[in-house]
Amino acid sequence: MNLRVVAMPGSEPCGGLLAERLGAARCGLESRRFPDGEIYLRLLDEVQGLNVAVVAQLRDPDPQLPGLLFVADALRELGASSVGLVAPYLPYMRQDTRFHAGEALTSRSFAKLVSNAFTWLVTMDPHLHRVASLDAIYDLRAVVVQSAESIAAWVRTEVMHPHIVGPDEESEQWVSDVAARAGCPFSVLRKHRSGDRSVELTLPNLDALRGRTPVLVDDIISSGQTMATTVRELVAMGFAAPICVGVHPVFVGAALAVLQAAGAARVVSCNTLQHPTNAIDVTIPLAEAVRTLATDLGRSP
Ligand code: R5P
């Protein structure tokens, strides 16, 4: 295949797994910091005329962004025929509107930077809320891979009598799909966020949950407050201890401990970001999307 995989620093295990699944060769990347903190980067293999997939797991994206843009630029200058970004977790999707006058629309600004640097993008379940699709803000070929089948397969094998619960209305897009594939019911709660770490919930009638195991599914677990508040409410109502499933395990600070202390029976995640909770491997569908795209690029004149 006319494809090479470059892993950004810290994303080597994910890059290696994707390259293996794709049967594609890796392009080495040397990286270090100069004494003043600036980054040194060197691509160690030939990329002339090749499609190159740059794999980056973008938890804590700010320190990683300059290096990512520099690598993309270097690949273009070195003659790669296309430079794609494989970011299983796409950051900066939540500030998608100006909640207060003067705020930076960082989802759009981030999208502009990535679109200028890359020709294509493969990601998983980006946080699309007020923005309907990536095409509304990204100006490149974007392919979105869904985690629903991978999560549903895990639920089918691991959970007896599951009932999928979405902590807020935005999560309905994921939980309805997961529930349909896992062959079980689902409910969606309503969330009001009054601060970065402060969440209140409104619960619908949850009689259907009696006698079942609640499986909370959300796209991002960041501070863990959304999941922890949901767990506490369900436990207080006498339901079985919930299992928490996150697509993107951002897990800031003590988020995992907060969730465990709230009473979660298990906390698992997809491996879009490396984390001890990783239990659901999504590199197969991600590699499939990259393969389809690379094959298609290979056909283009
Ligand atoms: C936002 O609406 C997302 O879908 C998640 O519910 C949210 O990002 C979770 O954040 P946290 O873990 O900080 O409550």
Side-chain angles (χ1 to χ4, degrees):
M1 200 189 314
N2 184 22
L3 178 71
R4 290 289 178 276
V5 174
V6 179
M8 291 303 294
S11 300
E12 291 88 353
C14 181
L17 208 50
L18 282 167
E20 194 183 308
R21 304 233 183 273
L22 285 159
R26 302 268 301 267
C27 167
L29 175 67
E30 182 186 339
S31 146
R32 63 183 171 83
R33 296 271 168 193
F34 288 109
D36 60 3
E38 291 182 1
I39 196 163
Y40 169 88
L41 295 157
R42 182 180 174 203
L43 291 148
L44 300 173
D45 298 279
E46 185 60 55
V47 293
Q48 174 78 39
L50 299 172
N51 296 305
V52 181
V54 180
V55 177
Q57 290 184 295
L58 296 173
R59 172 189 287 121
D60 198 10
D62 292 12
Q64 298 193 59
L65 188 59
L68 186 64
L69 301 179
F70 297 156
V71 163
D73 197 33
L75 287 166
R76 278 175 198 253
E77 292 200 347
L78 292 167
S81 71
S82 83
V83 183
L85 172 62
V86 183
Y89 165 61
L90 192 59
Y92 275 112
M93 285 299 291
R94 289 184 288 174
Q95 184 75 31
D96 57 2
T97 192
R98 217 164 254 128
F99 299 97
H100 304 284
E103 285 178 348
L105 272 180
T106 49
S107 62
R108 282 185 188 276
S109 306
F110 186 80
K112 273 187 217 160
L113 290 171
V114 169
S115 302
N116 285 336
F118 292 91
T119 22
W120 52 270
L121 165 70
V122 171
T123 190
M124 176 160 271
D125 290 334
H127 186 80
L128 293 169
H129 181 194
R130 285 158 285 259
V131 172
S133 91
L134 284 186
D135 295 337
I137 53 174
Y138 278 81
D139 184 18
L140 43 54
R141 188 157 166 193
V143 177
V144 169
V145 182
Q146 315 285 345
S147 64
E149 183 47 39
S150 307
I151 295 177
W154 185 88
V155 170
R156 287 195 298 266
T157 358
E158 298 284 328
V159 190
M160 293 270 283
H161 307 304
H163 185 117
I164 312 293
V165 178
D168 54 27
E169 286 146 315
E170 295 143 63
S171 66
E172 179 154 0
Q173 54 189 308
W174 301 287
V175 299
S176 56
D177 199 6
V178 171
R181 290 167 191 266
C184 66
F186 75 92
S187 303
V188 172
L189 318 183
R190 272 185 181 202
K191 176 171 84 179
H192 173 67
R193 186 183 280 282
S194 43
D196 285 348
R197 292 171 194 268
S198 156
V199 163
E200 285 131 48
L201 294 171
T202 311
L203 279 66
N205 183 325
L206 291 173
D207 287 348
L209 202 52
R210 295 275 166 217
R212 290 186 166 265
T213 303
V215 181
L216 315 188
V217 178
D218 205 357
D219 60 339
I220 303 169
I221 304 179
S222 181
S223 70
Q225 289 305 325
T226 301
M227 283 270 187
T229 308
T230 313
V231 169
R232 266 184 234 113
E233 297 257 4
L234 295 181
V235 169
M237 290 171 77
F239 293 111
I243 294 172
C244 300
V245 182
V247 179
H248 304 298
V250 174
F251 282 107
V252 175
L256 179 56
V258 167
L259 205 39
Q260 287 162 337
R266 270 177 96 175
V267 182
V268 300
S269 65
C270 300
N271 56 352
T272 59
L273 297 168
Q274 279 182 62
H275 193 263
T277 57
N278 287 166
I280 304 170
D281 181 16
V282 290
T283 55
I284 293 177
L286 283 166
E288 214 35 65
V290 176
R291 185 197 312 283
T292 306
L293 212 137
T295 309
D296 202 35
L297 288 167
R299 272 197 225 105
S300 326

